[in-house]
Amino acid sequence: MMKVLVVGGGGREHALAWKIKSSQHVSWVGIAPGNGGTTHVGENVNIAADDLDGIVNYVQANGVNLTVIGPEAPLAAGLADRFTSEQHLVFGPSAAAARIESDKRFAKDFMQLAGIPTAAYRTFNDHRTAKAWIERRDAPMVVKASGLAAGKGVFVCMTRQEALDAVKKIMEDKAFGAAGSDIIVEDALKGKEISLQVMTDGVDYLVLPPAQDHKRLGEGDTGPNTGGMGAYAPAELMTDTLIESCAKSIIEPTLRTFREMGTPYKGLLYVGLMITDNGPQVLEFNCRFGDPETQAVLPLLGVDLVDLMLVTVTGKLGPMMQALKLKSTDWRMLSRDNYAATVILAAAGYPGSYKKGIPITNIPTDQNNMVVFHAGTKKDQSQNLVTSGGRVLAVTGLANTLKEALYLSYEASEQIEFDGRYFRKDIGHQAQ
Ligand code: AMP
Ligand code: GLY
């Protein structure tokens, strides 16, 4: 039996730990640092996700067999490399491969090199040149900080002035610190967004059920971008034909290019897609599971996630797929025959500033068809559950239809109480 440590403390990590705990191979799950809900599935380990030494030491001292890294920051800082060199099993790409998320400029150049469809772009490291260029082109356009900005460094600008303001915010006011010393200005793409996640050992890959996130804060996809306000899966706008097309035009060239660069990509590759009139185009890559997509996708999986992770980290995905006669795009074979819908409950003010420490009550008990994943929650000194982040809870409903899954999720979300609780009422609107 194995001991598995999940690194991170958000809703994604709660969902990972929950699914890992159900594996036939696992006797113990730790979550570092975890949150106010992860103690229901495992043991919270009081080490921050970005304390690389702390995590490596803990794993060595406690005989952890597999470490699963949730967030992008420790991956970008090289946590997976530390384990590989120590011969510990780790799920998550190397820092070199994680650049596909942590350095958007690298990602755009990579896509250009590999011929992967994405919006036309220019990169700048100087605000004057960026502004002069923006003055000469028409809106809409998208301005992005190149580095990691917790999902907040992207500005979809409907006017030239908005784009100039975004450059000022990122480069002059340094709203994202060093993450904004390079920027990308790219064409705005029109279409529907899809999150396609694949597990890969660097050569072979398996597509997970396609999902759709809801990035904007407000109903009807309005307001500022957030980390994600809700998700559902499978997203049927991602037809089999579109998935095959993404496999050939995006996923395979990406994995091939990483191998050619000498830094094979191993772990979970998240492809943020815009399905345009000209076919799927890449908005972004992430080097880890999506949040909140994971809270919808993992409850759908009918397979043992730890089995999949083990063949992925040991480079044996290909032989396993051959033995089971699985094609890379056969996501239905991994999935239960139903739908999952996840609603995010956020604190008032998110994605701007928000209060913490607000008491949370009335969380319903998990059922076969409804699970509450915690994100920004913790236990206070009196062991009462309080908010500790902007995205507080992710409530997933499971049913035979998307409509029913949404109903279950909303029914539970309505019951949960905390001051200023906010959630979008229209998750799944593009599917209906
Ligand atoms: P990113 O973190 O790069 O995926 O950007 C966050 C969000 O901004 C995406 O999920 C899209 O909603 C939006 N976005 C990013 N790039 C573009 C683009 N080129 N055209 C339209 N919307 C975009
Ligand atoms: N849901 C988008 C992300 O995880 O980046």
Side-chain angles (χ1 to χ4, degrees), residues 368-390:
N368 283 340
N369 57 6
M370 193 285 300
V371 194
V372 179
F373 296 114
H374 290 229
T377 76
K378 65 171 194 181
K379 296 274 175 68
D380 69 8
Q381 279 160 350
S382 331
Q383 292 302 301
N384 293 319
L385 191 71
V386 297
T387 67
S388 66

Side-chain angles (χ1 to χ4, degrees), residues 264-288:
Y265 190 102
K266 294 181 192 166
L268 190 291
L269 178 69
Y270 168 117
V271 191
L273 293 165
M274 188 73 94
I275 311 301
T276 72
D277 290 344
N278 298 324
Q281 308 239 353
V282 177
L283 291 173
E284 66 166 342
F285 284 111
N286 290 326
C287 62
R288 37 91 195 158

Side-chain angles (χ1 to χ4, degrees), residues 104 142 144 154 156 186-189 193 215 225 283-284:
K104 283 186 192 286
V142 184
K144 302 183 176 184
V154 172
V156 180
E186 67 181 30
D187 288 352
L189 297 173
E193 285 191 55
K215 289 269 167 66
N225 262 325
L283 291 173
E284 66 166 342

